[in-house]
Amino acid sequence: MNRCTRALLGMAAVLLINSAQAAQWRLVKDEAGIQVYLQAIPGSSFQAFRGVTRMHVDMPRLLALQNDVNAACAWIHACSEQKLLKHQGDLSWAYSRFRTPWPVRSRDSIVQVKTVRDADGSITRTLRGVADYLPRQPGLVRVSKVEGFWTFTPRGDEIEVVYQVHSDPGGNVPAWLANTFVVDAPFNTLLGLRELAEQQ
């Protein structure tokens, strides 16, 4: 097998892998200019979600809304409390508490956020759960795992916003609630953020 053939086969393999990965995401909601996709994660009972939309807003205003951690419950789905714990360079740590329907116990989480600015003007914020950053709170179940990101990509006079997360809420969560959350969380969060961002 010559070098050219090996290169072509390698390229074909990469394309097949990328196609398979892309096929894993399935569109479950497309409404109000927001698309929500879900993906099964091997070894996990909980699906990952990806929400995508575009916003008529400039980057400074969008970042200002994201950076105002204490006020973010105005647009984050099911959020009852959020506060900044620490900020250091391009890293920050935030505590969040979330409402859940009775009889499920409310959840809280601690997430480390790393912000990276790319040369093309886009911004990526990587989310990583750090469940043991603070002691557990009485009456709350700590979210045991969070992995995800936000991306903000300029598209002409708009910004494309992608919000993707896979988490394990910890404890016992009914299947109906888990299945509802992974759709409602990205949709309502993006809708709320867009409404605030586009206010005149």
Side-chain angles (χ1 to χ4, degrees), residues 92-148:
S92 60
W93 290 259
Y95 173 85
S96 303
R97 190 169 66 186
F98 300 95
R99 299 182 302 273
T100 54
W102 185 87
V104 179
R105 291 169 65 191
S106 295
R107 261 58 180 173
D108 69 354
S109 71
I110 304 167
V111 175
Q112 180 194 78
V113 183
K114 181 176 182 179
T115 301
V116 176
R117 297 172 180 267
D118 297 320
D120 64 357
S122 63
I123 292 175
T124 300
R125 289 191 148 161
T126 304
L127 313 174
R128 183 175 69 87
V130 283
D132 295 328
Y133 189 87
L134 289 177
R136 266 55 170 179
Q137 302 296 309
L140 297 173
V141 176
R142 178 68 46 85
V143 175
S144 60
K145 176 183 177 181
V146 179
E147 293 179 351

Side-chain angles (χ1 to χ4, degrees), residues 10-89:
M11 290 173 60
V14 169
L15 289 172
L16 285 172
I17 291 170
N18 288 341
S19 296
Q21 291 174 340
Q24 292 176 356
W25 287 102
R26 62 192 189 283
L27 180 66
V28 295
K29 187 167 187 172
D30 187 352
E31 184 180 319
I34 300 171
Q35 294 79 46
V36 176
Y37 302 84
L38 297 181
Q39 182 187 67
I41 302 298
S44 174
S45 302
F46 304 96
Q47 301 177 90
F49 65 70
R50 176 188 289 172
V52 182
T53 193
R54 290 194 176 195
M55 302 184 186
H56 291 279
V57 63
D58 58 34
M59 194 69 79
R61 174 163 174 77
L62 185 55
L63 290 179
L65 287 169
Q66 281 248 327
N67 290 337
D68 191 357
V69 175
N70 294 340
C73 282
W75 52 269
I76 294 176
H77 175 70
C79 176
S80 60
E81 178 187 357
Q82 182 154 280
K83 59 185 177 183
L84 181 66
L85 299 175
K86 183 179 179 181
H87 180 78
Q88 181 178 328

Side-chain angles (χ1 to χ4, degrees), residues 59 62 120-123 151-156 158-162:
M59 194 69 79
L62 185 55
D120 64 357
S122 63
I123 292 175
T151 60
F152 311 128
T153 307
R155 304 289 189 196
E158 297 178 311
I159 295 177
E160 181 182 71
V161 179
V162 178

